[in-house]
Amino acid sequence: MTFGFASPPPAEALTRTGRALEPAEWAAAGIPLLRSPRETVTGLHARHRPGPATSVVAVLGPDERVVASASFTRVGSAPDGWECRNVLLSQLRRIVPHDLRRRRPARTAVLLCCREDGPGWTEQDGAWMWGLRDACTLHGLRCGAYLTLTRTGWQVLGEDRCGRRPYLGGPAVLDGRPEDEGPRVPGARRSTAAR
């Protein structure tokens, strides 16, 4: 007969049971909707020019303008929610002071994850959603939207909002026009012929 502690379950089992969120759990969490997700994604894309396996965490003020943001490269393996939380928390601590003394959060954190595979939820998204929610709580922020950017466009997970531009690998879009188009010439008009 042996006495002592039971060995902990493997980390893989913990990820599936408690440190990842399913899409239904995320939708039920009452995450505030962005008024203009296209504007947020476009601004972050233009500012950071993210590539595959890059994430951008941004803090939005009450008017939904980006107050601060940071980009970082994600680890290729299937992450655990705690690892995601720790990465996000260190990034948040680097770019903004905490709001823990406020009665209610005044700022919101959003996460934009870029990836090669198609749109839709993945287990990796579930771990990052759990990490975002937990990091926001520990930093005194309101948990905001979880956005993905792929080669086909962007999507707000948990909502039915998506768009084709900007997209992963595409040009930065500023003022409604791609950055590579060059400056606008005053008085110039674009004309098309009807056929």
Side-chain angles (χ1 to χ4, degrees):
M1 184 177 215
T2 53
F3 295 98
F5 296 103
S7 62
E12 189 175 299
L14 288 174
T15 301
R16 296 179 202 277
T17 59
R19 295 189 292 223
L21 294 177
E22 296 288 329
E25 292 174 295
W26 181 259
I31 305 298
L33 301 176
L34 287 171
R35 276 180 266 161
S36 179
R38 180 183 316 277
E39 188 177 304
T40 303
V41 172
T42 301
L44 293 175
H45 184 263
R47 182 180 287 187
H48 292 277
R49 301 286 183 104
T54 301
S55 290
V56 179
V57 63
V59 177
L60 309 177
D63 58 352
E64 285 197 7
R65 292 186 187 218
V66 176
V67 174
S69 62
S71 60
F72 56 95
T73 304
R74 295 186 316 273
V75 180
S77 66
D80 177 54
W82 278 352
E83 293 168 5
C84 298
R85 188 242 356 240
N86 292 341
V87 168
L88 291 170
L89 200 52
S90 70
Q91 295 295 327
L92 289 169
R93 286 177 178 154
R94 214 170 45 87
I95 60 175
V96 293
H98 68 76
D99 282 350
L100 294 171
R101 293 186 182 176
R102 293 183 172 271
R103 286 187 177 176
R104 290 186 185 177
R107 299 181 293 184
T108 304
V110 298
L111 183 62
L112 173 68
C113 288
C114 304
R115 60 177 188 224
E116 289 285 347
D117 50 351
W121 183 86
T122 64
E123 284 188 27
Q124 190 172 17
D125 292 327
W128 283 103
M129 289 171 164
W130 189 92
L132 177 63
R133 186 184 66 180
D134 209 43
C136 287
T137 301
L138 294 172
H139 204 65
L141 300 170
R142 183 182 306 115
C143 181
Y146 181 84
L147 308 148
T148 59
L149 187 68
T150 64
R151 297 236 181 253
T152 59
W154 58 270
Q155 178 182 10
V156 182
L157 289 185
E159 300 177 31
D160 290 332
R161 296 193 286 174
C162 58
R164 290 184 293 202
R165 288 183 184 243
Y167 56 91
L168 188 61
V173 179
L174 300 170
D175 299 328
R177 63 184 170 83
E179 193 176 78
D180 352 354
E181 281 184 5
R184 280 192 194 161
V185 178
R189 293 187 184 176
R190 184 176 178 183
S191 62
T192 57
R195 293 183 186 195

